[in-house]
Amino acid sequence: MSKEHCYYCFDSLVAHFDRRPVSPPTFDNSPFPLFVTWSTSEDGTTKDLRLRGCIGNFSAMPLHSGLKEYALTSAFKDGRFSPIDRKELLSLVCGVSLLVDFEDGDDYLDWEVGRHGIWIEFKDARGRKKTATYLPEVAKEQGWTKEKAIESLLRKGGYRDAISQEFLDSVILTRYQSRKAQVTYQDYVDAL
């Protein structure tokens, strides 16, 4: 994982605002599942971040096209937030997570807070398959136990009924790890 990936996401965002093509990156184009996270910081550092968008893909994609696509998708199409505006550039922080080491969990608690991301699959009351994920840093940043993280993730995935032990035992969990880099807009400008 390299800060170059984050710089390229900033390149893609700035090029979009400037209505010009983005210059091709020089880093390796290996395929990875990936997520791009945009946050803002009042003081332009990586402390006290406020999420502005986070979208990715579990299918391995070539880094060049995947980072460009998800830099823009997470900036403009995360339905939880209004689209990022050019005025926010100075306060933006970009995080890139390359997802690795996927493993099937034995049960819904077969993972470690702060080490693993979790992807769960479950069926709602109508029998429809639902999925949801948290990246490895989420539970730790929120101060959650494994149980609290699973409950939150089920709600994020659309489960609205009571959460019984029988239901929890039916949850299918995949754990994974990530290689993450994070840079501020100022780091990006300094690297130009």
Side-chain angles (χ1 to χ4, degrees):
M1 184 65 230
S2 164
K3 291 183 177 186
E4 295 297 319
H5 298 136
C6 298
Y7 297 151
Y8 183 61
C9 290
F10 269 117
D11 280 343
S12 299
L13 183 61
V14 171
H16 175 84
F17 285 138
D18 292 346
R19 300 188 187 280
R20 63 171 172 79
V22 65
S23 299
T26 57
F27 54 78
D28 181 60
N29 198 25
S30 297
F32 279 92
L34 59 90
F35 275 73
V36 175
T37 303
W38 293 106
S39 302
T40 56
S41 170
E42 287 185 24
D43 62 1
T45 69
T46 57
K47 295 179 182 174
D48 300 319
L49 298 178
R50 185 174 66 92
L51 184 64
R52 286 291 285 115
C54 181
I55 297 180
N57 192 323
F58 280 93
S59 298
M61 324 178 59
L63 285 174
H64 295 181
S65 60
L67 289 174
K68 178 182 176 186
E69 176 181 345
Y70 284 98
L72 299 178
T73 301
S74 63
F76 302 119
K77 296 186 179 179
D78 187 328
R80 300 171 291 176
F81 307 98
S82 60
I84 289 175
D85 187 89
R86 178 189 284 277
K87 296 179 290 191
E88 294 178 87
L89 278 174
L90 292 174
S91 66
L92 278 180
V93 176
C94 179
V96 171
S97 300
L98 303 184
L99 310 184
V100 297
D101 300 332
F102 286 83
E103 302 173 304
D104 293 334
D106 291 334
D107 59 42
Y108 71 99
L109 294 176
D110 188 17
W111 59 285
E112 293 178 39
V113 171
R115 179 175 179 207
H116 294 114
I118 50 175
W119 180 85
I120 61 169
E121 179 182 319
F122 59 93
K123 292 189 178 174
D124 68 11
R126 295 182 179 164
R128 293 178 298 202
K129 178 179 154 182
K130 301 278 190 166
T131 63
T133 193
Y134 280 141
L135 294 172
E137 62 272 13
V138 172
K140 184 175 181 178
E141 287 173 356
Q142 297 299 318
W144 290 337
T145 63
K146 291 194 270 187
E147 293 83 358
K148 178 62 179 164
I150 292 293
E151 178 185 337
S152 174
L153 193 52
L154 287 166
R155 299 302 184 208
K156 177 184 176 189
Y159 190 76
R160 301 292 177 247
D161 295 325
I163 300 173
S164 67
Q165 188 60 50
E166 180 182 359
F167 177 77
L168 288 170
D169 291 340
S170 73
V171 170
I172 298 169
L173 180 132
T174 302
R175 64 183 181 224
Y176 58 89
Q177 296 179 50
S178 76
R179 298 182 196 146
K180 183 172 182 178
Q182 188 170 296
V183 301
T184 66
Y185 181 73
Q186 190 59 54
D187 294 333
Y188 163 70
V189 169
D190 291 347
L192 292 176

